[in-house]
mmCIF file with all atom_site columns, all heavy atoms in Angstrom:
data_model
loop_
_atom_site.group_PDB
_atom_site.id
_atom_site.type_symbol
_atom_site.label_atom_id
_atom_site.label_alt_id
_atom_site.label_comp_id
_atom_site.label_asym_id
_atom_site.label_entity_id
_atom_site.label_seq_id
_atom_site.pdbx_PDB_ins_code
_atom_site.Cartn_x
_atom_site.Cartn_y
_atom_site.Cartn_z
_atom_site.occupancy
_atom_site.B_iso_or_equiv
_atom_site.pdbx_formal_charge
_atom_site.auth_seq_id
_atom_site.auth_comp_id
_atom_site.auth_asym_id
_atom_site.auth_atom_id
_atom_site.pdbx_PDB_model_num
ATOM 1   N N   . ARG V 1 19  ? -43.358 51.011 41.121 1.00 96.00 ? 19  ARG V N   1
ATOM 2   C CA  . ARG V 1 19  ? -43.365 51.037 42.593 1.00 96.00 ? 19  ARG V CA  1
ATOM 3   C C   . ARG V 1 19  ? -41.966 50.810 43.169 1.00 96.00 ? 19  ARG V C   1
ATOM 4   O O   . ARG V 1 19  ? -41.623 51.333 44.226 1.00 96.00 ? 19  ARG V O   1
ATOM 5   C CB  . ARG V 1 19  ? -44.270 49.907 43.121 1.00 96.00 ? 19  ARG V CB  1
ATOM 6   C CG  . ARG V 1 19  ? -45.706 50.286 43.329 1.00 96.00 ? 19  ARG V CG  1
ATOM 7   C CD  . ARG V 1 19  ? -46.527 49.067 43.714 1.00 96.00 ? 19  ARG V CD  1
ATOM 8   N NE  . ARG V 1 19  ? -46.286 48.629 45.082 1.00 96.00 ? 19  ARG V NE  1
ATOM 9   C CZ  . ARG V 1 19  ? -46.640 47.430 45.542 1.00 96.00 ? 19  ARG V CZ  1
ATOM 10  N NH1 . ARG V 1 19  ? -47.203 46.546 44.748 1.00 96.00 ? 19  ARG V NH1 1
ATOM 11  N NH2 . ARG V 1 19  ? -46.406 47.106 46.797 1.00 96.00 ? 19  ARG V NH2 1
ATOM 12  N N   . GLU V 1 146 ? -41.156 37.696 57.639 1.00 98.00 ? 146 GLU V N   1
ATOM 13  C CA  . GLU V 1 146 ? -41.932 38.759 58.300 1.00 98.00 ? 146 GLU V CA  1
ATOM 14  C C   . GLU V 1 146 ? -40.994 39.831 58.863 1.00 98.00 ? 146 GLU V C   1
ATOM 15  O O   . GLU V 1 146 ? -41.228 41.028 58.714 1.00 98.00 ? 146 GLU V O   1
ATOM 16  C CB  . GLU V 1 146 ? -42.756 38.170 59.459 1.00 98.00 ? 146 GLU V CB  1
ATOM 17  C CG  . GLU V 1 146 ? -44.055 37.518 59.029 1.00 98.00 ? 146 GLU V CG  1
ATOM 18  C CD  . GLU V 1 146 ? -44.665 36.654 60.138 1.00 98.00 ? 146 GLU V CD  1
ATOM 19  O OE1 . GLU V 1 146 ? -44.180 36.724 61.295 1.00 98.00 ? 146 GLU V OE1 1
ATOM 20  O OE2 . GLU V 1 146 ? -45.611 35.903 59.841 1.00 98.00 ? 146 GLU V OE2 1
ATOM 21  N N   . ASN V 1 147 ? -39.943 39.393 59.541 1.00 98.00 ? 147 ASN V N   1
ATOM 22  C CA  . ASN V 1 147 ? -39.019 40.346 60.172 1.00 98.00 ? 147 ASN V CA  1
ATOM 23  C C   . ASN V 1 147 ? -38.195 41.125 59.154 1.00 98.00 ? 147 ASN V C   1
ATOM 24  O O   . ASN V 1 147 ? -38.000 42.330 59.305 1.00 98.00 ? 147 ASN V O   1
ATOM 25  C CB  . ASN V 1 147 ? -38.119 39.613 61.166 1.00 98.00 ? 147 ASN V CB  1
ATOM 26  C CG  . ASN V 1 147 ? -38.849 39.357 62.466 1.00 98.00 ? 147 ASN V CG  1
ATOM 27  O OD1 . ASN V 1 147 ? -38.998 40.256 63.284 1.00 98.00 ? 147 ASN V OD1 1
ATOM 28  N ND2 . ASN V 1 147 ? -39.366 38.157 62.628 1.00 98.00 ? 147 ASN V ND2 1
ATOM 29  N N   . LEU V 1 148 ? -37.732 40.444 58.124 1.00 98.00 ? 148 LEU V N   1
ATOM 30  C CA  . LEU V 1 148 ? -36.914 41.138 57.119 1.00 98.00 ? 148 LEU V CA  1
ATOM 31  C C   . LEU V 1 148 ? -37.740 42.136 56.317 1.00 98.00 ? 148 LEU V C   1
ATOM 32  O O   . LEU V 1 148 ? -37.218 43.147 55.855 1.00 98.00 ? 148 LEU V O   1
ATOM 33  C CB  . LEU V 1 148 ? -36.250 40.123 56.187 1.00 98.00 ? 148 LEU V CB  1
ATOM 34  C CG  . LEU V 1 148 ? -35.181 39.240 56.842 1.00 98.00 ? 148 LEU V CG  1
ATOM 35  C CD1 . LEU V 1 148 ? -34.647 38.232 55.842 1.00 98.00 ? 148 LEU V CD1 1
ATOM 36  C CD2 . LEU V 1 148 ? -34.035 40.072 57.413 1.00 98.00 ? 148 LEU V CD2 1
ATOM 37  N N   . SER V 1 149 ? -39.039 41.867 56.179 1.00 98.00 ? 149 SER V N   1
ATOM 38  C CA  . SER V 1 149 ? -39.895 42.785 55.410 1.00 98.00 ? 149 SER V CA  1
ATOM 39  C C   . SER V 1 149 ? -39.995 44.153 56.090 1.00 98.00 ? 149 SER V C   1
ATOM 40  O O   . SER V 1 149 ? -40.395 45.132 55.482 1.00 98.00 ? 149 SER V O   1
ATOM 41  C CB  . SER V 1 149 ? -41.291 42.193 55.226 1.00 98.00 ? 149 SER V CB  1
ATOM 42  O OG  . SER V 1 149 ? -42.004 42.196 56.451 1.00 98.00 ? 149 SER V OG  1
ATOM 43  N N   . LYS V 1 150 ? -39.622 44.203 57.386 1.00 98.00 ? 150 LYS V N   1
ATOM 44  C CA  . LYS V 1 150 ? -39.662 45.480 58.103 1.00 98.00 ? 150 LYS V CA  1
ATOM 45  C C   . LYS V 1 150 ? -38.380 46.297 57.898 1.00 98.00 ? 150 LYS V C   1
ATOM 46  O O   . LYS V 1 150 ? -38.261 47.416 58.377 1.00 98.00 ? 150 LYS V O   1
ATOM 47  C CB  . LYS V 1 150 ? -39.872 45.231 59.605 1.00 98.00 ? 150 LYS V CB  1
ATOM 48  C CG  . LYS V 1 150 ? -41.184 44.517 59.910 1.00 98.00 ? 150 LYS V CG  1
ATOM 49  C CD  . LYS V 1 150 ? -41.240 44.046 61.349 1.00 98.00 ? 150 LYS V CD  1
ATOM 50  C CE  . LYS V 1 150 ? -42.459 43.148 61.566 1.00 98.00 ? 150 LYS V CE  1
ATOM 51  N NZ  . LYS V 1 150 ? -42.507 42.571 62.912 1.00 98.00 ? 150 LYS V NZ  1
ATOM 52  N N   . THR V 1 151 ? -37.419 45.692 57.197 1.00 98.00 ? 151 THR V N   1
ATOM 53  C CA  . THR V 1 151 ? -36.110 46.357 57.062 1.00 98.00 ? 151 THR V CA  1
ATOM 54  C C   . THR V 1 151 ? -35.822 46.860 55.647 1.00 98.00 ? 151 THR V C   1
ATOM 55  O O   . THR V 1 151 ? -34.817 47.521 55.431 1.00 98.00 ? 151 THR V O   1
ATOM 56  C CB  . THR V 1 151 ? -34.976 45.369 57.428 1.00 98.00 ? 151 THR V CB  1
ATOM 57  O OG1 . THR V 1 151 ? -34.899 44.349 56.413 1.00 98.00 ? 151 THR V OG1 1
ATOM 58  C CG2 . THR V 1 151 ? -35.193 44.720 58.766 1.00 98.00 ? 151 THR V CG2 1
ATOM 59  N N   . ALA V 1 152 ? -36.680 46.513 54.673 1.00 98.00 ? 152 ALA V N   1
ATOM 60  C CA  . ALA V 1 152 ? -36.352 46.831 53.274 1.00 98.00 ? 152 ALA V CA  1
ATOM 61  C C   . ALA V 1 152 ? -37.594 47.269 52.510 1.00 98.00 ? 152 ALA V C   1
ATOM 62  O O   . ALA V 1 152 ? -38.717 46.983 52.913 1.00 98.00 ? 152 ALA V O   1
ATOM 63  C CB  . ALA V 1 152 ? -35.732 45.609 52.604 1.00 98.00 ? 152 ALA V CB  1
ATOM 64  N N   . GLY V 1 153 ? -37.349 47.945 51.366 1.00 98.00 ? 153 GLY V N   1
ATOM 65  C CA  . GLY V 1 153 ? -38.457 48.361 50.502 1.00 98.00 ? 153 GLY V CA  1
ATOM 66  C C   . GLY V 1 153 ? -39.100 47.183 49.797 1.00 98.00 ? 153 GLY V C   1
ATOM 67  O O   . GLY V 1 153 ? -40.301 47.154 49.553 1.00 98.00 ? 153 GLY V O   1
ATOM 68  N N   . GLY V 1 238 ? -44.047 35.075 54.418 1.00 98.00 ? 238 GLY V N   1
ATOM 69  C CA  . GLY V 1 238 ? -43.853 36.001 55.533 1.00 98.00 ? 238 GLY V CA  1
ATOM 70  C C   . GLY V 1 238 ? -43.680 37.438 55.093 1.00 98.00 ? 238 GLY V C   1
ATOM 71  O O   . GLY V 1 238 ? -44.206 38.362 55.731 1.00 98.00 ? 238 GLY V O   1
ATOM 72  N N   . ALA V 1 239 ? -42.960 37.648 54.005 1.00 98.00 ? 239 ALA V N   1
ATOM 73  C CA  . ALA V 1 239 ? -42.607 39.018 53.595 1.00 98.00 ? 239 ALA V CA  1
ATOM 74  C C   . ALA V 1 239 ? -43.678 39.704 52.753 1.00 98.00 ? 239 ALA V C   1
ATOM 75  O O   . ALA V 1 239 ? -43.890 40.915 52.868 1.00 98.00 ? 239 ALA V O   1
ATOM 76  C CB  . ALA V 1 239 ? -41.292 38.992 52.823 1.00 98.00 ? 239 ALA V CB  1
ATOM 77  N N   . ALA V 1 240 ? -44.347 38.950 51.879 1.00 98.00 ? 240 ALA V N   1
ATOM 78  C CA  . ALA V 1 240 ? -45.242 39.575 50.888 1.00 98.00 ? 240 ALA V CA  1
ATOM 79  C C   . ALA V 1 240 ? -46.517 40.148 51.503 1.00 98.00 ? 240 ALA V C   1
ATOM 80  O O   . ALA V 1 240 ? -47.262 40.858 50.840 1.00 98.00 ? 240 ALA V O   1
ATOM 81  C CB  . ALA V 1 240 ? -45.576 38.582 49.774 1.00 98.00 ? 240 ALA V CB  1
ATOM 82  N N   . GLU V 1 241 ? -46.775 39.861 52.771 1.00 98.00 ? 241 GLU V N   1
ATOM 83  C CA  . GLU V 1 241 ? -47.897 40.504 53.479 1.00 98.00 ? 241 GLU V CA  1
ATOM 84  C C   . GLU V 1 241 ? -47.638 42.011 53.580 1.00 98.00 ? 241 GLU V C   1
ATOM 85  O O   . GLU V 1 241 ? -48.554 42.814 53.647 1.00 98.00 ? 241 GLU V O   1
ATOM 86  C CB  . GLU V 1 241 ? -47.997 39.947 54.916 1.00 98.00 ? 241 GLU V CB  1
ATOM 87  C CG  . GLU V 1 241 ? -48.370 38.480 54.996 1.00 98.00 ? 241 GLU V CG  1
ATOM 88  C CD  . GLU V 1 241 ? -49.862 38.256 55.174 1.00 98.00 ? 241 GLU V CD  1
ATOM 89  O OE1 . GLU V 1 241 ? -50.615 39.249 55.149 1.00 98.00 ? 241 GLU V OE1 1
ATOM 90  O OE2 . GLU V 1 241 ? -50.266 37.086 55.308 1.00 98.00 ? 241 GLU V OE2 1
ATOM 91  N N   . ARG V 1 242 ? -46.341 42.378 53.617 1.00 98.00 ? 242 ARG V N   1
ATOM 92  C CA  . ARG V 1 242 ? -45.966 43.763 53.905 1.00 98.00 ? 242 ARG V CA  1
ATOM 93  C C   . ARG V 1 242 ? -45.301 44.477 52.735 1.00 98.00 ? 242 ARG V C   1
ATOM 94  O O   . ARG V 1 242 ? -45.547 45.645 52.491 1.00 98.00 ? 242 ARG V O   1
ATOM 95  C CB  . ARG V 1 242 ? -45.018 43.759 55.112 1.00 98.00 ? 242 ARG V CB  1
ATOM 96  C CG  . ARG V 1 242 ? -44.543 45.112 55.571 1.00 98.00 ? 242 ARG V CG  1
ATOM 97  C CD  . ARG V 1 242 ? -43.487 44.970 56.660 1.00 98.00 ? 242 ARG V CD  1
ATOM 98  N NE  . ARG V 1 242 ? -44.066 44.480 57.893 1.00 98.00 ? 242 ARG V NE  1
ATOM 99  C CZ  . ARG V 1 242 ? -44.411 45.257 58.922 1.00 98.00 ? 242 ARG V CZ  1
ATOM 100 N NH1 . ARG V 1 242 ? -44.200 46.559 58.861 1.00 98.00 ? 242 ARG V NH1 1
ATOM 101 N NH2 . ARG V 1 242 ? -44.932 44.752 60.007 1.00 98.00 ? 242 ARG V NH2 1
ATOM 102 N N   . VAL V 1 243 ? -44.403 43.772 52.027 1.00 98.00 ? 243 VAL V N   1
ATOM 103 C CA  . VAL V 1 243 ? -43.641 44.408 50.932 1.00 98.00 ? 243 VAL V CA  1
ATOM 104 C C   . VAL V 1 243 ? -43.662 43.536 49.676 1.00 98.00 ? 243 VAL V C   1
ATOM 105 O O   . VAL V 1 243 ? -43.904 42.328 49.762 1.00 98.00 ? 243 VAL V O   1
ATOM 106 C CB  . VAL V 1 243 ? -42.151 44.650 51.336 1.00 98.00 ? 243 VAL V CB  1
ATOM 107 C CG1 . VAL V 1 243 ? -42.043 45.649 52.475 1.00 98.00 ? 243 VAL V CG1 1
ATOM 108 C CG2 . VAL V 1 243 ? -41.447 43.339 51.681 1.00 98.00 ? 243 VAL V CG2 1
ATOM 109 N N   . PRO V 1 244 ? -43.380 44.127 48.508 1.00 98.00 ? 244 PRO V N   1
ATOM 110 C CA  . PRO V 1 244 ? -43.274 43.310 47.305 1.00 98.00 ? 244 PRO V CA  1
ATOM 111 C C   . PRO V 1 244 ? -42.107 42.323 47.397 1.00 98.00 ? 244 PRO V C   1
ATOM 112 O O   . PRO V 1 244 ? -41.102 42.600 48.058 1.00 98.00 ? 244 PRO V O   1
ATOM 113 C CB  . PRO V 1 244 ? -43.026 44.334 46.187 1.00 98.00 ? 244 PRO V CB  1
ATOM 114 C CG  . PRO V 1 244 ? -43.495 45.633 46.741 1.00 98.00 ? 244 PRO V CG  1
ATOM 115 C CD  . PRO V 1 244 ? -43.243 45.561 48.203 1.00 98.00 ? 244 PRO V CD  1
ATOM 116 N N   . ILE V 1 267 ? -51.638 36.851 48.854 1.00 98.00 ? 267 ILE V N   1
ATOM 117 C CA  . ILE V 1 267 ? -50.421 37.693 48.803 1.00 98.00 ? 267 ILE V CA  1
ATOM 118 C C   . ILE V 1 267 ? -49.832 37.794 47.400 1.00 98.00 ? 267 ILE V C   1
ATOM 119 O O   . ILE V 1 267 ? -48.874 38.531 47.179 1.00 98.00 ? 267 ILE V O   1
ATOM 120 C CB  . ILE V 1 267 ? -49.320 37.181 49.774 1.00 98.00 ? 267 ILE V CB  1
ATOM 121 C CG1 . ILE V 1 267 ? -48.907 35.756 49.403 1.00 98.00 ? 267 ILE V CG1 1
ATOM 122 C CG2 . ILE V 1 267 ? -49.737 37.312 51.212 1.00 98.00 ? 267 ILE V CG2 1
ATOM 123 C CD1 . ILE V 1 267 ? -47.597 35.338 50.016 1.00 98.00 ? 267 ILE V CD1 1
ATOM 124 N N   . ASN V 1 270 ? -48.571 40.882 45.594 1.00 98.00 ? 270 ASN V N   1
ATOM 125 C CA  . ASN V 1 270 ? -47.300 41.499 45.969 1.00 98.00 ? 270 ASN V CA  1
ATOM 126 C C   . ASN V 1 270 ? -46.097 40.680 45.502 1.00 98.00 ? 270 ASN V C   1
ATOM 127 O O   . ASN V 1 270 ? -44.984 40.870 45.997 1.00 98.00 ? 270 ASN V O   1
ATOM 128 C CB  . ASN V 1 270 ? -47.246 41.646 47.504 1.00 98.00 ? 270 ASN V CB  1
ATOM 129 C CG  . ASN V 1 270 ? -47.050 43.083 47.934 1.00 98.00 ? 270 ASN V CG  1
ATOM 130 O OD1 . ASN V 1 270 ? -46.936 43.974 47.092 1.00 98.00 ? 270 ASN V OD1 1
ATOM 131 N ND2 . ASN V 1 270 ? -46.989 43.323 49.233 1.00 98.00 ? 270 ASN V ND2 1
#
Side-chain angles (χ1 to χ4, degrees):
R19 270 174 74 196
E146 278 166 10
N147 281 282
L148 292 177
S149 71
K150 299 169 189 175
T151 69
E241 294 266 5
R242 181 187 290 262
V243 295
I267 60 163
N270 238 359

